[in-house]
Amino acid sequence: QVQLVESGGGLVQAGGSLRLSCAASGRTFSTYNMAWFRQAPGKEREFVTIINWSGGRTSYADSVKGRFTISRDNAENTVYLQMNSLKPEDTAVYYCAAGKGAWGTAGTSYEYWGQGTQVTVSS
């Protein structure tokens, strides 16, 4: 069982930065691939980025490539999302997700989800 708790969301102006954190419980965090998804009001949940269990492999949605960076600290059981050059269209609730065999955009591939943290980017 893995419990995920996101933090770091907030209100920021366009062009600004935020760093989200996702703290995981349990001793098996380092065996899970970790991803970030987001859901804007009235829209479907969408994949943002993923990092593999060791931190050696990452993938990003085209919409955030070059602006967002995912990283993890297995000693601290935490995954991070550094978001730079934020745009109003990045406004959404951001969720972290964990999946041992997950590597893709399908939310159904992930076993555990956090409760989400709101990110609002003003223009």
Side-chain angles (χ1 to χ4, degrees):
Q1 186 79 6
V2 176
Q3 291 185 321
L4 304 173
V5 179
E6 301 97 334
S7 61
L11 174 64
V12 64
Q13 288 189 329
S17 298
L18 280 176
R19 188 174 84 152
L20 306 184
S21 300
C22 173
S25 66
R27 294 176 292 175
T28 60
F29 172 76
S30 62
T31 66
Y32 285 84
N33 295 340
M34 298 296 297
W36 289 93
F37 285 76
R38 66 187 182 186
Q39 187 166 20
K43 295 188 177 181
E44 293 188 356
R45 182 177 59 194
E46 66 171 347
F47 169 82
V48 176
T49 180
I50 185 171
I51 188 166
N52 78 329
W53 63 273
S54 70
R57 183 184 177 196
T58 59
S59 181
Y60 296 89
D62 287 343
S63 58
V64 306
K65 204 170 291 184
R67 300 188 298 123
F68 290 12
T69 302
I70 190 171
S71 62
R72 67 188 296 161
D73 184 337
N74 285 342
E76 296 294 328
N77 279 14
T78 303
V79 62
Y80 302 98
L81 181 63
Q82 178 66 44
M83 305 186 295
N84 298 329
S85 302
L86 282 161
K87 305 175 181 180
E89 51 263 43
D90 294 319
T91 295
V93 177
Y94 283 71
Y95 300 91
C96 68
K100 280 197 174 183
W103 193 262
T105 62
T108 52
S109 300
Y110 299 85
E111 300 161 56
Y112 301 103
W113 292 82
Q115 84 290 348
T117 186
Q118 176 71 47
V119 171
T120 303
V121 184
S122 63
S123 58

